[in-house]
Amino acid sequence: MNRSIYTVPKLCKAKNGWYVHFRYNGVQKRYNVANREKNLKIRKRIADHLIKTLSAKLKKGWNPVTEIQESKAYYSFSGCLEDV
């Protein structure tokens, strides 16, 4: 059986804000979703786009763990949308 090294990105609607999360090689990654946006339809649309983008990047072989460790930089929402 061929196991994936990442889980599918999912939306979590927590009391303190929405975020998209997934695991890559056992390391959990979280990306906040435009929590300042009060319109929930727009916020959901942003979250769906983020999930779609992260899924596409993971399928192409993107490694979020080493990418962040190598650069030691903070990645914003717009940064994760690049290269799609």
Side-chain angles (χ1 to χ4, degrees):
M1 185 165 104
N2 192 5
R3 291 187 61 191
S4 178
I5 59 173
Y6 62 88
T7 60
V8 177
K10 295 180 182 177
L11 175 63
C12 180
K13 298 177 183 178
K15 275 187 174 182
N16 57 350
W18 292 14
Y19 61 90
V20 173
H21 65 100
F22 63 94
R23 288 189 175 276
Y24 188 91
N25 274 343
V27 177
Q28 182 167 358
K29 304 305 294 174
R30 277 179 135 174
Y31 293 87
N32 290 329
V33 177
N35 290 310
R36 292 184 181 185
E37 177 60 57
K38 299 301 179 197
N39 186 325
L40 297 181
K41 288 182 181 181
I42 294 173
R43 192 188 302 185
K44 176 74 167 104
R45 200 173 321 145
I46 291 169
D48 290 342
H49 188 271
L50 179 58
I51 290 170
K52 183 179 175 182
T53 301
L54 290 172
S55 295
K57 288 179 80 167
L58 287 165
K59 284 180 184 177
K60 289 181 181 179
W62 175 60
N63 183 339
V65 177
T66 52
E67 181 180 78
I68 291 173
Q69 289 175 349
E70 288 173 1
S71 66
K72 295 185 179 179
Y74 175 77
Y75 286 90
S76 65
F77 173 74
S78 60
C80 74
L81 296 178
E82 293 175 1
D83 303 327
V84 175

